[in-house]
Amino acid sequence: MMASPLYRKIAQQIKQEIEAGNWKEGEAIPTEKHLSEKYDASRVTIRQAVKTLVEEGLLKRIQGSGTYVSEKKIEHNIYELESFTEEMRRLNKQPVNNVMNFQMIDPPMHVKSKLQLGEEEKVFYVRRQRLVDDIPYVLEDTYLPVRLFPDLSFKVMSGSKYDYIEKEQGKKIKESFQEVIPILPDSDIAGALGVQETTPILKIQHYSVFQDDTIFEYSENYFKSDEYKFTLRAKRPN
């Protein structure tokens, strides 16, 4: 039986260090020189071991910065109607909403159709970069009818949209309808998420309704695939 290459053995040892918690999530890994001395191997071998773990997702390279131990992906249940702010708070993380664009516009045709708007109706268009620990996780483009939210403001959208709707406006949110699409980001989206244009991301198009079935928002959200994984539970019929 052929023995495993040295780089694979070293990769396995590094993996054990991560699993044991000796290398913490989000921390930079030791230098090639340090690892070369630690494992008594050439830098070329160390480089190959690290490359293997990057491909497995246990390590991640950040351009211009270095190589880090990957943090666990956020598990997003698409059957739970939960805002980004609510989700992060549940995970004991402090979210930040960076409002990149806030304006009243004539909606594009696909937005007008989704929101079932009248001919002259306007919407608030808001682009928000959703961050945790200064790291962008999601880019959100939201369209909200002006007639439903005439007092919507930049300040409101810097906080939780759903807190504003439910706690300040006293409206009850019933459900949302979502479509998940894998895409390659354009330059603006890639820049806002801090990824390359060649990096696949997930786009979720969804519209949400109140208890009386009034459609109150249409959003297009862009999720980094290295930070999120999407789960659902499927049951066999009786």
Side-chain angles (χ1 to χ4, degrees), residues 3 8 24-25 29 32 36 49-50 53 75 78 82 98 110 118 123 146 157-159 190 199:
R8 287 198 177 278
K24 305 296 184 185
E25 289 183 15
I29 68 170
E32 275 187 6
S36 179
V50 169
L53 295 176
E75 188 170 334
I78 61 176
E82 187 175 41
N98 174 29
H110 74 286
V123 298
V146 173
M157 294 303 288
S158 297
T199 302

Side-chain angles (χ1 to χ4, degrees), residues 14-76:
I14 293 174
K15 187 184 294 187
Q16 289 170 357
E17 294 274 16
I18 295 171
E19 290 171 350
N22 297 328
W23 293 17
K24 305 296 184 185
E25 289 183 15
E27 288 186 354
I29 68 170
T31 64
E32 275 187 6
K33 181 177 183 296
H34 177 91
L35 293 175
S36 179
E37 293 171 353
K38 177 181 175 69
Y39 295 111
D40 192 22
S42 70
R43 291 196 179 190
V44 172
T45 300
I46 295 299
R47 207 168 294 140
Q48 185 62 40
V50 169
K51 180 175 180 288
T52 298
L53 295 176
V54 168
E55 290 170 350
E56 291 182 14
L58 286 174
L59 300 178
K60 65 178 179 181
R61 286 198 178 99
I62 298 178
Q63 191 171 3
S65 179
T67 303
Y68 297 80
V69 179
S70 296
E71 297 178 338
K72 291 179 181 176
K73 289 187 178 183
I74 294 171
E75 188 170 334
H76 181 78

Side-chain angles (χ1 to χ4, degrees), residues 10-178:
I10 293 173
Q12 183 59 36
Q13 289 177 279
I14 293 174
K15 187 184 294 187
Q16 289 170 357
E17 294 274 16
I18 295 171
E19 290 171 350
N22 297 328
W23 293 17
K24 305 296 184 185
E25 289 183 15
E27 288 186 354
I29 68 170
T31 64
E32 275 187 6
K33 181 177 183 296
H34 177 91
L35 293 175
S36 179
E37 293 171 353
K38 177 181 175 69
Y39 295 111
D40 192 22
S42 70
R43 291 196 179 190
V44 172
T45 300
I46 295 299
R47 207 168 294 140
Q48 185 62 40
V50 169
K51 180 175 180 288
T52 298
L53 295 176
V54 168
E55 290 170 350
E56 291 182 14
L58 286 174
L59 300 178
K60 65 178 179 181
R61 286 198 178 99
I62 298 178
Q63 191 171 3
S65 179
T67 303
Y68 297 80
V69 179
S70 296
E71 297 178 338
K72 291 179 181 176
K73 289 187 178 183
I74 294 171
E75 188 170 334
H76 181 78
N77 185 342
I78 61 176
Y79 283 128
E80 294 279 342
L81 180 51
E82 187 175 41
S83 72
F84 178 81
T85 301
E86 291 167 339
E87 186 173 50
M88 293 303 107
R89 286 173 179 167
R90 176 172 54 80
L91 296 170
N92 296 317
K93 296 178 181 289
Q94 186 57 49
V96 171
N97 295 315
N98 174 29
V99 179
M100 304 176 74
N101 196 334
F102 182 95
Q103 57 182 310
M104 186 188 298
I105 64 169
D106 293 314
M109 284 305 299
H110 74 286
V111 173
K112 182 177 290 188
S113 175
K114 288 289 187 184
L115 291 175
Q116 299 179 0
L117 299 176
E119 193 60 35
E120 302 299 324
E121 284 197 73
K122 293 187 180 295
V123 298
F124 286 110
Y125 162 67
V126 188
R127 168 165 280 192
R128 298 194 293 178
Q129 186 188 43
R130 325 298 296 275
L131 305 100
V132 176
D133 298 330
D134 294 326
I135 298 171
Y137 277 49
V138 183
L139 183 68
E140 174 194 80
D141 288 334
T142 297
Y143 302 86
L144 298 151
V146 173
R147 65 176 165 80
L148 294 179
F149 306 106
D151 63 344
L152 191 71
S153 66
F154 186 100
K155 181 179 179 181
V156 164
M157 294 303 288
S158 297
S160 169
K161 176 178 61 185
Y162 281 7
D163 276 357
Y164 161 75
I165 290 171
E166 294 187 315
K167 295 177 181 178
E168 294 187 34
Q169 298 295 308
K171 299 181 183 296
K172 285 289 187 181
I173 299 170
K174 179 181 178 183
E175 57 191 350
S176 75
F177 300 85
Q178 306 183 29

Side-chain angles (χ1 to χ4, degrees), residues 216-227:
F216 69 87
E217 73 163 333
Y218 171 71
S219 292
E220 295 174 349
N221 294 340
Y222 304 91
F223 291 81
K224 291 170 70 174
S225 55
D226 61 344
E227 304 288 358

